[in-house]
Amino acid sequence: MPYRADSDDLFALPGMSRVAPKAGFPQHELFAEVAYEIVHDELMLDGVSRMNLATFCSTWVDDQARRLMAESLDKNIVDKDEYPQTAELERRCVRMIADLWRCPDPATTHGTSTTGSSEAAMLGGLAAKFRWRQRGGTGTPNFVCGPVQVCWEKFARYFDVEIRRIPLRGDRLTMHPDDVAAYCDERTIMVVPTFGQTFTGLFEDVAGISRALDQLQEVSGLDIPIHVDAASGGFLAPFTAPDLVWDFRLPRVKSINASGHKTGLAPLGVGWAIWREAADLPAELIFDVDYLGGSVGTFNLNFSRPGGQAIAQYYEFIRLGRTGYARVQSAIYRAARHLAAGLRDLGVFEMIHDGDPHRGITAVAWRSSGDPGFNLYDLSDRLRSRGWLIAAYPLPADREHETIMRAVIRHGFTVDMADLLVADFDRCLKQLARHPFSTSLTRQEAGGFTHSATAVVPDEQIEPA
Ligand SMILES: *Cc1c(COP(=O)(O)O)cnc(C)c1O
């Protein structure tokens, strides 16, 4: 049947009266418009990304960044010779970030874009492992950390490195500098402080850990480097807490990773790994590819990768500069503090992180105070019925009986949205007080960290404002 785009109704076409192919490879074609509409409509069920306060990643970019992403859809960042200007923009980003993080010589050091902090963390870890081998290290290497993001557990398992996680001490939620030395030995390739923990958003004390390692070196001779996982703190503190020393100002910090697609404000799919000096990245990890008649070194776990993310990152850097980033990030912190104040006023929560730029990232974390008669998984589930995704989860292994909640506040979240959210909290809390869940959801039932739970009570049962 001939399709006439000008007169046929899309939803009356034959392709629309059949269910979409789901299992075996489809036999027949569909009109592009029909296939597009089917996919587009199915994705409506994904929810609204800007109401997903469980993610750290960019959910808002401006039209210019979107345009640059669309224009570079066909550019492979690995083809340095074919797309030399994309390669050049990536290199400028490396120098800019090295400068931002106070590298001794940003023009000559090594760094690279990656698919995110996970790949960047692996590269930082691998470089530390190779440096340790070069120094004569033998046996099974280890690294020391506090409560880390899952990428470090992956690094340990994929690359045969023992992970030594320091248990949380007392009611502290970050690694205590005084505890670090006891976990280090001659096989320790690095200590990994998290600058912006995923659990709470809190900064770990990189300078304190560095001092503790200085003391360890004085008494034992062990010279243990630091890799900072600054996935989300790396593009915040330089603008909103510039006096906080966590970066290459500390000589022991040899490498840092951050996610451009988190607080770097770039679209999803870009991270950065930067080394203090060129010599901190062992030559064995570098592979040469063709570039403008010569060659250029690359060090990535991936080969082909889209170029748009690094391009959009460069756009964000020159668009905003230091003053622009300071303005944007300060506004996000303001929204976070506004949310924290609103939640505190509800009278049933105790704040763990209230969005103080010197203590942590643009996030708010809390637990319930006393015995409020509901659990946070139920509350998380109830909030979902209004479209808000807010994670409830247990603290790390040694404190897993404690449950906390966290909202990551990002570019595009306003104080007005914070008020709407607090009003929904209030409504959900009242609803939970009147109709307690018959059986409380466990973490598994609630979908765990990512919260894929379906609402137990339909929307209508929640009182209008
Ligand atoms: C998000 C995050 C990661 C992983 O980063 P991706 O960019 O998602 O790969 C690693 N460490 C910390 C502290 C994070 O917050």
Side-chain angles (χ1 to χ4, degrees):
M1 185 180 77
Y3 165 51
R4 300 207 326 277
D6 55 337
S7 66
D8 280 345
D9 186 279
L10 184 62
F11 294 94
L13 290 174
M16 280 295 196
S17 56
R18 290 192 298 268
V19 294
K22 292 191 177 64
F25 200 90
Q27 186 63 35
H28 301 291
E29 301 160 73
L30 290 171
F31 288 121
E33 288 85 346
V34 172
Y36 170 84
E37 197 62 33
I38 288 171
V39 177
H40 173 87
D41 290 356
E42 179 155 1
L43 291 174
M44 291 193 301
L45 292 178
D46 267 349
V48 180
S49 64
R50 284 169 69 193
M51 294 174 79
N52 176 7
L53 302 188
T55 184
F56 289 74
C57 293
S58 295
T59 47
W60 189 90
V61 291
D62 65 20
D63 287 340
Q64 287 77 7
R66 281 175 194 273
R67 253 153 55 199
L68 287 167
M69 287 295 287
E71 288 163 17
S72 42
L73 196 70
D74 53 352
K75 291 195 183 176
N76 189 342
I77 201 163
V78 84
D79 293 335
K80 312 285 180 198
D81 207 32
E82 290 81 352
Y83 311 117
Q85 289 324 113
T86 299
E88 168 61 17
L89 297 194
E90 182 197 15
R91 275 220 303 268
R92 288 181 202 165
C93 285
V94 166
R95 289 196 291 267
M96 288 175 175
I97 300 168
D99 178 35
L100 188 68
W101 293 342
R102 312 290 194 97
C103 248
D105 187 4
T108 60
T109 198
H110 282 314
T112 182
S113 72
T114 59
T115 49
S117 271
S118 300
E119 185 191 0
M122 312 263 164
L123 295 173
L126 282 171
K129 183 176 168 182
F130 276 67
R131 291 198 308 266
W132 170 79
R133 281 267 158 70
Q134 281 172 354
R135 291 197 303 271
T138 53
T140 303
N142 67 71
F143 70 99
V144 174
C145 59
V148 277
Q149 208 264 355
V150 67
C151 71
W152 292 104
E153 288 167 44
K154 279 192 191 173
F155 168 70
R157 204 173 305 168
Y158 292 178
F159 297 104
D160 251 324
V161 181
E162 181 197 345
I163 177 169
R164 292 188 175 169
R165 250 177 8 101
I166 304 177
L168 295 175
R169 179 212 279 218
D171 58 3
R172 275 184 73 98
L173 292 168
T174 53
M175 161 165 52
H176 196 304
D178 290 353
D179 294 343
V180 173
Y183 287 82
C184 297
D185 57 27
E186 66 287 346
R187 291 178 177 171
T188 304
I189 61 170
M190 62 181 170
V191 173
V192 180
T194 304
F195 196 63
Q197 271 186 345
T198 48
F199 296 92
T200 58
L202 293 170
F203 292 145
E204 289 196 314
D205 179 4
V206 187
I209 291 161
S210 179
R211 277 195 301 277
L213 290 172
D214 290 346
Q215 282 160 16
L216 175 68
Q217 187 170 4
E218 272 168 37
V219 297
S220 71
L222 291 175
D223 183 5
I224 296 175
I226 291 176
H227 172 96
V228 184
D229 179 355
S232 45
F235 292 112
L236 291 170
F239 308 113
T240 47
D243 48 327
L244 208 58
V245 178
W246 63 276
D247 48 18
F248 292 120
R249 279 171 284 183
L250 300 166
R252 203 171 280 284
V253 174
K254 302 298 183 203
S255 50
I256 301 174
N257 70 268
S259 300
H261 58 212
K262 291 184 178 174
T263 52
L265 308 179
L268 260 177
V270 66
W272 299 94
I274 309 281
W275 283 265
R276 172 183 197 79
E277 294 176 78
D280 292 318
L281 179 67
E284 299 101 295
L285 292 179
I286 303 176
F287 290 82
D288 286 335
V289 298
D290 291 340
Y291 178 66
L292 292 184
S295 73
V296 61
T298 66
F299 28 99
N300 283 102
L301 300 181
N302 303 79
F303 189 68
S304 295
R305 210 157 40 88
Q309 282 82 351
I311 292 170
Q313 182 79 81
Y314 179 71
Y315 159 76
E316 297 291 350
F317 286 168
I318 64 166
R319 152 91 180 94
L320 291 170
R322 284 180 194 263
T323 55
Y325 266 90
R327 258 159 31 86
V328 170
Q329 311 293 36
S330 299
I332 303 170
Y333 272 113
R334 259 198 309 282
R337 301 189 75 129
H338 188 81
L339 175 64
L343 291 178
R344 201 187 278 112
D345 287 347
L346 293 173
V348 291
F349 300 126
E350 179 195 331
M351 288 298 136
I352 293 168
H353 172 44
D354 66 358
D356 177 345
H358 283 86
R359 288 191 67 228
I361 62 165
T362 46
V364 182
W366 63 92
R367 57 184 145 221
S368 36
S369 54
D371 180 11
F374 61 89
N375 79 33
L376 295 177
Y377 298 112
D378 291 342
L379 179 58
S380 172
D381 194 62
R382 186 56 56 82
L383 285 162
R384 208 185 155 102
S385 65
R386 282 279 285 176
W388 300 108
L389 286 179
I390 299 188
Y393 47 89
L395 284 178
D398 34 307
R399 298 261 291 276
E400 75 261 18
H401 53 282
E402 291 176 53
T403 307
I404 69 171
M405 255 180 145
R406 180 204 63 206
V408 182
I409 306 306
R410 304 178 308 271
H411 197 195
F413 191 87
T414 61
V415 292
D416 197 54
M417 288 165 79
D419 282 344
L420 294 170
L421 175 57
V422 170
D424 280 335
F425 262 93
D426 192 36
R427 238 186 326 265
C428 293
L429 288 168
K430 286 181 177 136
Q431 168 81 8
L432 278 172
R434 271 199 313 275
H435 307 288
F437 278 55
S438 48
T439 51
S440 287
L441 293 177
T442 64
R443 184 188 180 205
Q444 265 69 36
E445 287 162 343
F449 206 84
T450 51
H451 281 255
S452 51
T454 48
V456 174
V457 179
D459 267 0
E460 310 79 77
Q461 291 190 26
I462 293 195
E463 283 203 333

